[in-house]
Amino acid sequence: MSELARSFSQNFIEKERYRYLLEGLGNTLLMTLCAVLIGIFIGFIIAVIRSTYDNTGKLKVLNFFANLYLTVIRGTPVVLQLLITYFVIFASVNVSKLFTAIIAFGINSGAYVAEIIRSGINSIDRGQSEAGRSLGFSYSQTMLWFILPQAIKNVLPALGNEFVVLLKETSVAGYIAMQDLTKGADIIRSQTYSAFMPLIMAALIYLIMVVIFDNLIKRLERRLRNSDH
């Protein structure tokens, strides 16, 4: 027990090394939140383009680029996308590592959010769309006022799960020397030459966050189910 206490003190109390974890935690949450918002924005646009093409045959060119985007992003590792964003796209631009990471993770998330929202749109009975059209609404008006509100309600839990997945994916931000939670733990390890305590602490923090968000998602699912009755 005394050995654990000494290790805890050495890794976190001495020289206030716990600040590395706190700063990393803040950056992790900020990256995740901003990236999810970007992902929802991109995913919403991509989903509407693809659904419009599927249902009407319009937006053929945009649908081609949407499919290309989905293929590239979903077919390559997120860590490579992060490295390309930092060392290639923003190589000659003076932007922060945090901004670069947010953009990279946001673009990555958008591909998965697009499929989530598209599945939500496809889950709506076609009769809803036909009813809207029969009332004199255009396709875009029907999509905006009838289909999308129901689709978003159906996929809210899935979007919550995407947030949890992205929260864990941001742990690769250290590849561009961005101090996220994992990198903060690794900095402590490099200073104390003790890997167990800082890495286990980082893992516990991730676990606690995931459990909390999972419970919030389950509550949301229950409320949505109850609202349908």
Side-chain angles (χ1 to χ4, degrees):
M1 190 67 181
S2 60
E3 182 64 29
L4 283 176
R6 185 162 54 251
S7 178
F8 183 90
S9 176
Q10 178 190 18
N11 283 280
F12 305 121
I13 306 302
E14 291 180 10
K15 298 183 179 180
E16 298 184 332
R17 292 191 177 99
Y18 66 88
R19 291 180 178 271
Y20 291 116
L21 291 181
L22 290 180
E23 182 180 348
L25 175 60
N27 287 335
T28 292
L29 291 173
L30 181 60
M31 275 190 294
T32 304
L33 178 60
C34 293
V36 162
L37 293 177
I38 293 173
I40 290 174
F41 176 75
I42 295 174
F44 178 83
I45 294 174
I46 297 297
V48 170
I49 290 173
R50 297 197 68 202
S51 295
T52 300
Y53 176 78
D54 291 341
N55 293 324
T56 67
K58 298 179 180 179
L59 306 180
K60 186 175 182 180
V61 175
L62 290 178
N63 183 68
F64 169 79
F65 285 108
N67 278 320
L68 180 63
Y69 161 75
L70 293 174
T71 300
V72 171
I73 297 301
R74 298 178 70 189
T76 54
V78 64
V79 65
L80 280 179
Q81 296 166 21
L82 176 64
L83 293 173
I84 290 171
T85 303
Y86 183 71
F87 290 110
V88 179
I89 297 175
F90 290 130
S92 59
V93 182
N94 185 23
V95 296
S96 69
K97 295 171 183 176
L98 178 61
F99 177 81
T100 303
I102 288 172
I103 295 299
F105 290 125
I107 292 173
N108 176 269
S109 178
Y112 297 93
V113 171
E115 291 303 286
I116 291 172
I117 296 178
R118 182 166 173 257
S119 68
I121 293 173
N122 291 337
S123 70
I124 305 301
D125 189 272
R126 293 183 67 89
Q128 300 271 4
S129 179
E130 294 170 358
R133 300 298 293 274
S134 67
L135 292 173
F137 292 98
S138 65
Y139 175 82
S140 58
Q141 290 173 325
T142 302
M143 176 67 73
L144 180 62
W145 299 110
F146 290 88
I147 306 301
L148 284 177
Q150 298 178 73
I152 292 173
K153 179 182 177 182
N154 290 343
V155 301
L156 276 177
L159 291 176
N161 288 327
E162 170 61 18
F163 180 87
V164 172
V165 170
L166 191 57
L167 175 68
K168 292 181 287 185
E169 283 187 346
T170 58
S171 62
V172 302
Y175 275 87
I176 61 170
M178 173 67 212
Q179 188 176 326
D180 68 318
L181 179 57
T182 302
K183 185 65 175 178
D186 192 53
I187 291 174
I188 296 175
R189 179 203 58 78
S190 68
Q191 293 181 0
T192 62
Y193 301 101
S194 173
F196 176 81
M197 188 63 71
L199 296 182
I200 290 297
M201 181 62 72
L204 285 174
I205 294 173
Y206 275 115
L207 180 60
I208 291 170
M209 288 192 294
V210 169
V211 169
I212 291 173
F213 287 126
D214 275 342
N215 285 330
L216 291 176
I217 293 169
K218 289 176 182 177
R219 286 188 179 184
L220 176 62
E221 289 177 335
R222 285 196 297 269
R223 286 192 176 185
L224 291 176
R225 282 198 301 267
N226 293 335
S227 67
D228 290 334
H229 298 308

